Amino acid sequence: MNRTPVGVLVSGRGSNMSALIAAAKQPDCPYQVVLVLSNTPDAPGLQIARTGGIEAITIDQRNFPKDRDGHERALDAALQASGVEVVALAGYMRVLTPFLVGAWAGRMINIHPSLLPKYPGLDTHQRALDAGDMEAGCTVHLVTEGVDEGPVLGQAHVPILPTDDAHAISERVLAEEHRLYPAMLAKLCLSLRR
């Protein structure tokens, strides 16, 4: 099978990245992770990728003070040099500029821990609790210039239980993220081949 080369951007532990890598080991997976990029040199996800035999590099944002465009052009150059065709954000904690979003339009996805359009941004589980919601979840979406505003590719729902705090919700939602994200990345890669 000809697999779509995927680049993953991380800023932290990379649990969703790990789920994408694990799914790519299945013989029928239509993608392979060929590059992991981080904006921070101490992101644990980098070592996880290296242990799995995947190229993992840092393009440190601190080397580009007040130059987000320059930083993203360096990211884009690394993605292009590795032959990446689709980009997956996995806990990448920077708002992207129009340059990078435009360069990968329709080929860049993100996972967000809420049922978008509810609760874009941070503190999603506490916000759901504060609103008295009966369910929480996660959303995989295409990345556009607006934060967490791109077209939804898929969602997973989890109930909010009376005894829940934000941490309990987070744990249940994360398990669904690890199931949903590989499935939606595979679906996107297959759709781009048509």
Side-chain angles (χ1 to χ4, degrees):
M1 173 188 289
N2 188 17
R3 297 185 179 208
T4 302
V6 169
V8 182
L9 274 57
V10 300
S11 294
R13 65 183 174 165
S15 73
N16 273 304
M17 174 207 70
S18 295
L20 296 177
I21 291 170
K25 292 178 181 175
Q26 299 303 311
D28 61 343
C29 185
Y31 69 83
Q32 65 179 24
V33 178
V34 298
L35 177 67
V36 172
L37 282 175
S38 181
N39 58 319
T40 58
D42 57 350
L46 291 167
Q47 190 54 48
I48 293 168
R50 289 181 189 123
T51 300
I54 297 167
E55 181 182 11
I57 60 176
T58 301
I59 299 178
D60 195 335
Q61 66 190 38
R62 295 173 297 184
N63 295 336
F64 298 84
K66 299 182 182 177
D67 185 10
R68 293 178 72 88
D69 187 65
H71 181 249
E72 290 189 2
R73 287 185 186 279
L75 290 173
D76 183 60
L79 292 165
Q80 300 284 354
S82 292
V84 167
E85 295 178 11
V86 172
V87 177
L89 307 181
Y92 190 70
M93 301 306 291
R94 287 185 47 104
V95 175
L96 301 177
T97 70
F99 162 73
L100 197 62
V101 172
W104 294 91
R107 298 179 299 136
M108 180 183 284
I109 65 173
N110 185 39
I111 188 156
H112 182 73
S114 79
L115 296 171
L116 292 173
K118 280 188 168 185
Y119 317 124
L122 302 175
D123 302 318
T124 57
H125 306 307
Q126 188 59 53
R127 290 159 67 193
L129 279 171
D130 293 346
D133 290 354
M134 300 300 291
E135 66 177 0
C138 54
T139 303
V140 175
H141 64 93
L142 288 174
V143 176
T144 59
E145 289 185 25
V147 174
D148 300 325
E149 291 181 356
V152 170
L153 301 178
Q155 293 184 316
H157 300 249
V158 300
I160 295 178
L161 306 175
T163 56
D164 275 345
D165 60 11
H167 177 75
I169 297 169
S170 173
E171 290 298 310
R172 281 203 312 283
V173 168
L174 190 61
E176 289 300 313
E177 289 179 34
H178 293 167
R179 181 192 61 76
L180 180 67
Y181 207 9
M184 292 300 100
L185 177 58
K187 185 176 178 182
L188 175 64
C189 289
L190 288 171
S191 74
L192 292 172
R193 291 183 188 173
R194 295 186 185 124

